[in-house]
């Protein structure tokens, strides 16, 4: 992935200079771990698209509201996962490829099905590059929220969207960010609005999440059109995923979405 370091540097700098991530921050690193995700209960009602990383990656790449860098770099983590035909056989099933994606789902916008939170990460260290929310309209999905200020991680917590950013000084080690900013959003009519915001200073004598002022402006609505999820025609996008492999088929490696890990332990 050619542009990941640049994206992370610009995103983290934007978090420092524009998002009010804490007064102690003096700069930004070019890389870092994915923000620490809040523990969540597995969602048994996740849309089928969440279990098909190839289709999900394809839909994100077709979304014009996603930055060109993210779309171009959203490829399988292992070279040849989806296009290896050097042995003369047909290409392997792209649905078995491991993509740098992590998902969460839930009812955030009262759409026609579960909303899908999509986190795009790096393959090697799980750095959160961007977070998006896709709202179901009929059988299609439309991006209604985008945050491309890395490191970033989005999730569904108690029916609301939670977005976490790790914050760095210029001399911070990758595994030890200076702090963590958490913003919670709720859906109102056609946009997300901030309902709470806090900053956690890891270096404080008694680390505590301190409330910060929230913005009264709606979160920008991405310029996205409804997108076909690109699932097989016999798959209902609103149904829970269910795949039964053929008895003669070879066991397949997990096609699930690669979970983002956090390297910020031991603070």
């Amino acid at each position: 992935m050619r542009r990941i370091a640049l994206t992370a540097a610009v995103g983290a700098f934007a978090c420092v200079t524009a998002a009010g991530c804490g007064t102690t921050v003096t700069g930004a690193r070019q890389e870092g771990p994915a923000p620490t995700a809040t523990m969540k209960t597995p969602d048994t009602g996740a849309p089928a698209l969440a279990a098909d990383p190839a289709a999900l990656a394809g839909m994100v790449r077709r979304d014009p509201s996603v930055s060109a860098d993210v779309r171009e770099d959203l490829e399988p983590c292992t070279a040849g996962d989806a296009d290896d035909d050097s042995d003369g056989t047909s290409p392997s099933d792209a649905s078995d490829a491991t993509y740098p994606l992590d998902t969460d789902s839930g009812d955030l916008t009262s759409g026609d099905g579960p909303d899908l939170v999509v986190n795009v990460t790096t393959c090697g260290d799980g750095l959160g590059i961007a977070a998006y929310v896709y709202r179901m309209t009929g059988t299609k999905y439309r991006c209604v929220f985008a945050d491309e200020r890395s490191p970033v991680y989005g999730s569904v917590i108690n029916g609301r969207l939670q977005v976490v950013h790790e914050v760095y000084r210029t001399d911070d080690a990758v595994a030890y960010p200076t702090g963590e900013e958490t913003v919670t959003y709720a859906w109102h009519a056609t946009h997300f609005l901030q309902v709470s915001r806090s900053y956690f200073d890891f270096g404080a004598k008694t680390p505590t999440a301190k409330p910060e002022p929230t913005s009264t402006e709606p979160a920008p609505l991405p310029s996205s059109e409804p997108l076909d999820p690109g699932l097989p025609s016999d798959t209902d996008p609103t149904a829970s995923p269910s795949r039964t492999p053929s008895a003669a088929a070879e066991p397949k490696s997990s096609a699930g979405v690669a979970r983002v890990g956090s390297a910020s332990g031991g603070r």
Side-chain angles (χ1 to χ4, degrees), residues 239-267:
S240 298
S242 177
R243 294 186 178 182
T244 305
S246 169
E250 292 291 335
K252 295 181 178 180
S253 59
S254 174
V257 177
R259 287 288 167 185
V260 174
S262 174
S264 56
R267 287 189 274 268

Side-chain angles (χ1 to χ4, degrees), residues 20 57 107 115 122 164 170 180 229 238:
D107 184 9
D115 297 291
T122 57
V164 178
T170 48
E180 185 173 271
T238 65

Side-chain angles (χ1 to χ4, degrees), residues 188-251:
H188 289 273
T190 61
H191 293 78
F192 280 104
L193 290 175
Q194 291 186 16
V195 293
S196 68
R197 187 187 192 108
S198 64
Y199 178 73
F200 193 97
D201 185 356
F202 294 136
K205 186 175 182 180
T206 55
T208 305
K210 296 182 178 180
E212 292 188 333
T214 57
S215 172
T216 58
E217 295 296 322
L221 188 65
S223 300
S224 177
E225 297 296 329
L227 300 164
D228 191 314
L231 292 167
S233 58
D234 60 348
T235 300
D236 180 2
T238 65
S240 298
S242 177
R243 294 186 178 182
T244 305
S246 169
E250 292 291 335

Side-chain angles (χ1 to χ4, degrees), residues 22-104:
T23 57
T24 61
V25 177
T26 59
R29 291 187 62 89
Q30 291 190 358
E31 58 182 343
T36 306
T38 303
M39 188 63 68
K40 53 182 178 289
T41 303
D43 185 357
T44 56
L49 182 59
D52 194 327
L56 178 57
M59 187 185 76
V60 175
R61 285 197 299 261
R62 295 194 306 273
D63 188 348
S65 70
V66 174
S67 70
D69 286 351
V70 173
R71 285 187 278 121
E72 184 174 339
D73 288 315
L74 188 50
E75 299 290 344
C77 289
T78 303
D81 267 350
D83 58 359
D84 184 6
D85 57 357
S86 58
D87 58 358
T89 61
S90 59
S92 59
D93 186 352
S95 65
D96 290 331
T98 300
Y99 284 79
L101 294 168
D102 183 27
T103 66
D104 196 7

